[in-house]
Amino acid sequence: MVIRLVLFGAPGAGKGTQAVLLEKHFGALHISTGDLFRKAMKEKAALGDQVRSYMDAGYLVPDEIVMNLVHQELVDVIKDNGFIFDGFPRTVPQAEAFSQILAKMNQSLTAVISLEVEQGLLVRRISGRRVCPKCAALYHVDTLINKEICPIDHSTLEQRKDDAEDAVETRLKTFALQTLPLKEYYQEKNLLLQIDGSGSPDAVFARILSRLQPVFN
Ligand code: AP5
Ligand code: MG
């Protein structure tokens, strides 16, 4: 069975961390709209200029820009592959547009995994996050021996610009206002799996797999 997942959760909930584990386990593509926008900013592509001011301040990129990206770059990619969307959809209009895309391809979502993490822990995770600019590996300073160097390729680790305190506050508020309503949207469609996102990455991953098991049977 081809797996088609959406990973849903607040900033710092662990979407990126779990997506990497799910990608390896299921052989499905990990697609993060946030990563695609960050890449466009780094490569100084036109798309990067369009999204920079929203992202750096912690606001959502307008739906129209997000859906253009999905139509232009992602529809072909997901047509014949399993996928794990991380950070998309993020508003009800995005979810509705996505559902139409899937219907046109005769596809449907396997599940929407909502990672539930309390706010204090979200902030602790975000403030300690480090990212490798070369291989994109994600770390938390608490688990790094050398806090500045990527253990995989020895690049100097970076902090995301939107992990600054002001932007984090805006991201958390934006999540509550614009993204949280999606939970009800997917609950009504019987797709939502709410998972406790606290504990180690492996513990959270085991919870996800055990909740997904009945969906496959
Ligand atoms: P995006 O990149 O999606 O960021 P986000 O939703 O704010 O989420 P994060 O990436 O901060 O957190 P995460 O849940 O992936 O956590 P992670 O695994 O890294 O979006 C960024 C911006 O892009 C948005 O603000 C918006 O402007 C724009 N954008 C993107 N998509 C959009 C869309 N569809 N529509 C509109 N705008 C869009 O973990 C965090 C830290 O915790 C790491 O250090 C990690 O090592 C650690 N950690 C994770 N899990 C655990 C664990 N279980 N135990 C201990 N530490 C853990
Ligand atoms: Mg992420």
Side-chain angles (χ1 to χ4, degrees):
M1 178 179 163
V2 177
I3 194 146
R4 298 188 178 96
L5 296 177
V6 166
L7 274 179
F8 176 89
K15 302 181 294 297
T17 303
Q18 294 303 320
V20 171
L21 300 173
L22 287 161
E23 180 177 44
K24 261 192 215 140
H25 186 87
F26 289 109
L29 297 170
H30 169 204
I31 303 169
S32 156
T33 41
D35 286 350
L36 291 172
F37 290 139
R38 278 185 288 278
K39 185 166 173 263
M41 290 199 290
K42 213 167 208 172
E43 291 170 356
K44 302 200 173 9
L47 176 65
D49 290 335
Q50 282 182 294
V51 302
R52 182 172 283 107
S53 59
Y54 300 105
M55 287 190 65
D56 286 353
Y59 294 107
L60 289 186
V61 171
D63 288 340
E64 198 192 330
I65 298 178
V66 176
M67 292 317 301
N68 275 344
L69 171 80
V70 173
H71 279 287
Q72 284 166 16
E73 293 193 26
L74 302 178
V75 169
D76 278 349
V77 174
I78 61 174
K79 203 164 55 194
D80 302 315
N81 291 297
F83 57 75
I84 302 142
F85 267 104
D86 153 10
F88 172 84
R90 233 175 168 104
T91 62
V92 172
Q94 286 181 24
E96 281 170 346
F98 186 39
S99 146
Q100 283 172 18
I101 290 171
L102 292 176
K104 264 193 201 153
M105 296 193 294
N106 272 326
Q107 289 185 8
S108 54
L109 288 175
T110 310
V112 174
I113 293 166
S114 171
L115 295 173
E116 313 277 332
V117 176
E118 53 96 9
Q119 183 144 333
L121 185 53
L122 293 174
V123 173
R124 286 201 295 284
R125 284 185 180 174
I126 291 176
S127 59
R129 172 169 42 205
R130 297 293 181 275
V131 189
C132 175
K134 196 166 167 199
C135 72
L138 274 174
Y139 303 100
H140 193 280
V141 284
D142 286 354
T143 56
L144 283 168
I145 296 167
N146 183 332
K147 312 227 174 288
E148 286 166 25
I149 304 292
C150 175
I152 300 171
D153 60 29
H154 311 294
S155 303
T156 301
L157 296 173
E158 292 178 352
Q159 264 189 291
R160 267 169 48 178
K161 209 167 177 183
D162 65 346
D163 281 351
E165 210 176 314
D166 281 2
V168 170
E169 203 177 307
T170 307
R171 281 159 65 201
L172 291 169
K173 280 188 190 151
T174 304
F175 174 77
L177 276 171
Q178 291 180 264
T179 306
L180 211 50
L182 267 185
K183 254 171 99 168
E184 207 179 314
Y185 176 90
Y186 281 124
Q187 200 148 30
E188 277 170 10
K189 296 193 181 312
N190 237 341
L191 284 168
L192 194 77
L193 299 178
Q194 298 189 70
I195 312 263
D196 174 5
S198 65
S200 70
D202 285 347
V204 177
F205 185 56
R207 274 179 220 135
I208 295 176
L209 289 187
S210 88
R211 290 292 299 282
L212 277 175
Q213 196 134 31
V215 180
F216 283 110
N217 293 330

